[in-house]
Structure formats: C-alpha cells, structure tokens
Amino acid sequence: MLYHVRMDVRIPPDLDPAVRDALIAREKEYSQQLQRSGKWPHIWRIAGEYANYSVLDVADHDELHQILSNLPLFPYMDIQVTALARHPSKVD
C-alpha cells in the first residue's frame, strides 16, 4: 500500500543541543535504512520549512504506524497521512 505522508518537525528550541544532534543522527540512519529497503521510496524536503513530503510503500496501516512511531523524531512531529490508490489514467 502506498501512503503520502507530510511530516512537520517541531523540535523544542530549548532541547539540549547534544540530545538534538543525536536524535537527528538516529533519524537519518533509520530513515535511510527504510529507503534502502524500499519501504520509503520517495522523500522531498519542503522548501523553507523543517518538513518533508514522503511516499511510503508498506504492507498495511499497521506497518505504516509502526514505521512512523519508531522515528526518533516522532515525539516532535505533526504527521498527516493520505492513503493512495492507483489512478486509472496512469500509463505503465
């Protein structure tokens, strides 16, 4: 199943800089692992924001929830999910 996901990151400005850097490093490692596995085939930064648009390709809603909730930055994110369906006019 494909999902379009918008993630807005809102790290508290008073978070210890070392904790912030460690979270961001873990986030990058985790997300790149998912990208290499094919679960996270697309990610785009939203210009001018600490946010991204992503497409995730997972088995079901539960797997999507597991992936998102395991993101190290999850506690600091606002996430919007849209399930995607194949468009009948798409050319293969």
Side-chain angles (χ1 to χ4, degrees):
M1 296 182 74
L2 294 177
Y3 295 89
H4 174 267
V5 181
R6 179 180 171 133
M7 298 176 219
D8 292 271
V9 181
R10 305 196 192 297
I11 299 174
D14 60 346
L15 188 65
D16 179 278
V19 173
R20 180 185 192 277
D21 292 347
L23 276 170
I24 291 170
R26 286 182 24 234
E27 181 84 10
K28 183 176 183 178
E29 180 181 336
Y30 179 63
S31 68
Q32 288 181 344
Q33 175 188 15
L34 290 164
Q35 290 171 59
R36 285 189 290 274
S37 76
K39 299 279 183 188
W40 197 329
H42 301 284
I43 182 170
W44 294 275
R45 176 176 291 179
I46 300 172
E49 299 180 38
Y50 194 173
N52 72 76
Y53 284 124
S54 293
V55 173
L56 282 89
D57 187 358
V58 296
D60 54 32
H61 306 315
D62 292 328
E63 184 180 15
L64 177 68
H65 180 77
Q66 178 185 17
I67 286 171
L68 295 177
S69 62
N70 283 326
L71 289 165
L73 289 174
F74 180 79
Y76 308 108
M77 288 183 170
D78 294 325
I79 299 175
Q80 298 173 351
V81 175
T82 304
L84 300 174
R86 182 174 175 76
H87 196 285
S89 296
K90 182 179 182 314
V91 176
D92 287 324

